[in-house]
């Protein structure tokens, strides 16, 4: 198949899912064209089946807006026409599915619609939250969903939310996030601990784009309470709007010596491999890919019982799920996991087994079958 993938290049789950999907499809012999504003963060090195098309943000001095969506539409139309794309897979309804719809309209005169690409749209969550915050966007998201040939969501939670808010005309298929367990597995390296100046203490980790929804201050407060009872280091990987406030809070609590802000890192396996606990106290996560990647590396997770987490984290077996904002409860569970070695070991092993149910190969096959189904439909 010839597949176009539209994704955000930024540090975040949707870009990671889209990029890993495209790489895996290319490795299976499909031709994959990526469309993005800059090179997606996990795209990596050359592959003969992968093509990358950068979309110009087209800032004109006269206008205060960017023409990204229009530039993207025209780029998709051009590539779809000359490279004969079968499928365009938009990661996010807005603006990506809308740009793909516009590309189809551009092509209407050039090819009959039956020969034009099929549009698959994957919802990752923020489409829905954007509408939650701004009802004025509702119709535009509904249009993108209803005009796609097929829509997938990354969790049952997100599917239910989408049905509740948009009453879409078509069935939404759940295809969860995935992890490549041949890359994400535990290989603890002493030199990583040494480079970080960590001796025998426990290591707590969090990885995200530091958006408010991630509740970074809760992480810092849980960790602060924990360090009053045991020796530990907190690794904060990633960057984003909450970073400065978080650094201030760490200084105010007097725990700068125990907290490392490591910034954005592509290869997180060496850090996950030495971690004892992942904290993800997000207000909501449509799935929570970082938690799954941690589990593949044998790291139990303490997260919230909101959104998609309960679909793959079983409390007591892979970590614990608590209500958003329950700092005290999360601290207690973190303390339990970090002090009961037998319990930690059982959780760590169960996490590795659970991650295998979300193996890249089988989820990529689901996407392939999904594309084939769309292509077979009239
Ligand atoms: O979590 C983020 O802020 C990034 C966001 C994205 O668009 O990259 O992640 C969303 O998509 C991921 C991949 O499907 C999911 O694993 C994340 O849970 C989801 N984030 C939220 O729902 C907050």
């Amino acid at each position: 198949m010839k597949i176009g993938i539209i994704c955000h290049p930024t540090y975040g789950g949707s870009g990671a899912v889209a990029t890993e999907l495209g790489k895996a499809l290319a490795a299976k012999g499909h031709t994959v064209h990526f469309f993005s504003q800059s090179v997606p963060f996990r795209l990596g090195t050359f592959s003969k089946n992968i093509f990358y098309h950068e979309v110009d943000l087209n800032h004109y001095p006269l206008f205060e807006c960017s023409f990204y969506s229009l530039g993207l539409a025209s780029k998709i139309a051009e590539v779809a026409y000359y490279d004969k794309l079968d499928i365009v897979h938009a990661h996010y309804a807005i603006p990506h599915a809308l740009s793909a719809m516009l590309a189809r309209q551009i092509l209407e005169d050039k090819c009959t619609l039956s020969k034009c690409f099929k549009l698959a749209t994957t919802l990752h969550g923020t489409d829905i939250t954007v509408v939650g915050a701004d009802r004025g966007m509702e119709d535009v998201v509904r249009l993108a969903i209803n005009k796609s040939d097929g829509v997938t969501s990354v969790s049952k939670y997100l599917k239910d939310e989408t049905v509740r808010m948009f009453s879409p005309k078509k069935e939404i298929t759940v295809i969860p996030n995935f992890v490549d367990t041949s890359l994400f597995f535990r290989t603890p390296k002493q030199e990583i601990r040494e480079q970080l100046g960590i001796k025998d203490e426990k290591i707590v980790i969090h990885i995200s784009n530091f958006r408010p929804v991630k509740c970074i201050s809760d992480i810092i407060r849980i960790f602060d309470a924990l360090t009053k009872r045991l020796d530990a280091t907190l690794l904060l990987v990633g960057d984003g709007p909450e970073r400065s406030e978080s650094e201030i809070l760490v200084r105010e609590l007097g725990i700068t010596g125990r907290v490392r802000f490591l910034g954005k890192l592509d290869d997180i396996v060496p850090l996950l491999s030495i971690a004892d606990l992942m904290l993800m106290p997000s207000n909501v996560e449509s799935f929570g890919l970082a938690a799954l990647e941690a589990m593949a590396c044998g790291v139990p997770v303490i997260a919230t019982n909101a959104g998609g987490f309960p679909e793959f984290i079983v409390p007591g077996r892979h970590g614990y799920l608590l209500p958003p904002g329950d700092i005290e409860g999360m601290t207690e569970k973190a303390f339990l996991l970090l002090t009961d070695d037998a319990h930690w070991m059982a959780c760590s092993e169960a996490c590795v087994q659970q991650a295998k149910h979300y193996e890249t190969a089988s989820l990529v096959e689901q996407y392939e079958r999904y594309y084939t189904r769309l292509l077979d439909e009239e």
Side-chain angles (χ1 to χ4, degrees), residues 12-14 92 124 154 177 209 211 214 284-289:
S14 68
Y92 275 114
H124 288 273
V154 298
N177 286 180
N209 52 17
R211 289 200 293 140
K214 307 292 175 183
V284 70
E285 282 288 339
S286 53
F287 185 90
L289 177 63

